[in-house]
Amino acid sequence: MGNPDDLYITDLRLYKKLGKIKEMLLSGETLPKGVTHRQTVIAVGDLAIVPVCFEAFTEIAMNLRAKSPYKQTIAMGITSGTRSYLPTEEELPYGGYEVTMFRTSALLSYADNLDKIVVDEYVKLLNKLEK
């Protein structure tokens, strides 16, 4: 294997992620079982504002709007912290920078259908709000 410093940024991120996992396993540490994200929603009248801690693909915001119980729903990306890009499950096979960053931004890989999980969880929160 060559010098890791010669790797492209996306390959270097994967190299470092796998190195961290190897280090943890060799030291006897257990890997975390999952990742949690705090979610917040705000509603005023017929308007819902949904801060998303990812840079989500447009289709995710459109899906959220379609499922929202509010007349107007605004999904605001890269708020409530920044996790990574959030591509749709359908985009994952195409790869590319955003998909690689999604795959390598957390110690454990996110679920392929995280886009659907995020939308469903936000819709649950929106449905709990009093109108």
Side-chain angles (χ1 to χ4, degrees), residues 48-67:
I49 301 170
V50 180
V52 181
C53 63
F54 291 93
E55 186 169 342
F57 280 32
T58 302
E59 294 85 357
I60 296 166
M62 292 168 53
N63 191 14
L64 177 60
R65 268 191 231 111
K67 292 182 175 185

Side-chain angles (χ1 to χ4, degrees), residues 39-41 48-52 56-77 115-127:
Q39 293 182 305
T40 303
V41 293
I49 301 170
V50 180
V52 181
F57 280 32
T58 302
E59 294 85 357
I60 296 166
M62 292 168 53
N63 191 14
L64 177 60
R65 268 191 231 111
K67 292 182 175 185
S68 174
Y70 288 83
K71 282 185 181 179
Q72 296 181 10
T73 300
I74 299 172
M76 297 171 42
D115 61 315
K116 293 168 183 70
I117 293 168
V118 166
V119 168
D120 290 346
E121 290 302 313
Y122 278 123
V123 170
K124 283 181 196 174
L125 287 174
L126 290 170
N127 280 319

Side-chain angles (χ1 to χ4, degrees), residues 72-97:
Q72 296 181 10
T73 300
I74 299 172
M76 297 171 42
I78 317 175
T79 54
S80 298
T82 302
R83 295 292 179 175
S84 176
Y85 289 94
L86 180 56
T88 61
E89 185 174 10
E90 294 75 21
E91 289 295 319
L92 294 178
Y94 298 109
Y97 179 81

Side-chain angles (χ1 to χ4, degrees), residues 7-9 18 39 51 54 79 86 93 99 103 115 126 130:
L7 295 172
Y8 290 108
I9 184 72
L18 294 174
Q39 293 182 305
F54 291 93
T79 54
L86 180 56
V99 170
R103 294 266 191 232
D115 61 315
L126 290 170
E130 290 183 32

Side-chain angles (χ1 to χ4, degrees), residues 5-57:
D5 293 334
D6 294 334
L7 295 172
Y8 290 108
I9 184 72
T10 52
D11 294 330
L12 183 59
R13 286 176 61 96
L14 180 58
Y15 178 86
K16 287 181 177 181
K17 174 183 174 170
L18 294 174
K20 176 68 176 161
I21 291 170
K22 177 182 174 184
E23 203 177 281
M24 289 178 72
L25 292 173
L26 289 176
S27 72
E29 286 183 66
T30 55
L31 295 174
K33 295 190 185 296
V35 177
T36 59
H37 299 279
R38 287 183 180 255
Q39 293 182 305
T40 303
V41 293
I42 303 163
V44 178
D46 289 336
L47 171 66
I49 301 170
V50 180
V52 181
C53 63
F54 291 93
E55 186 169 342
F57 280 32

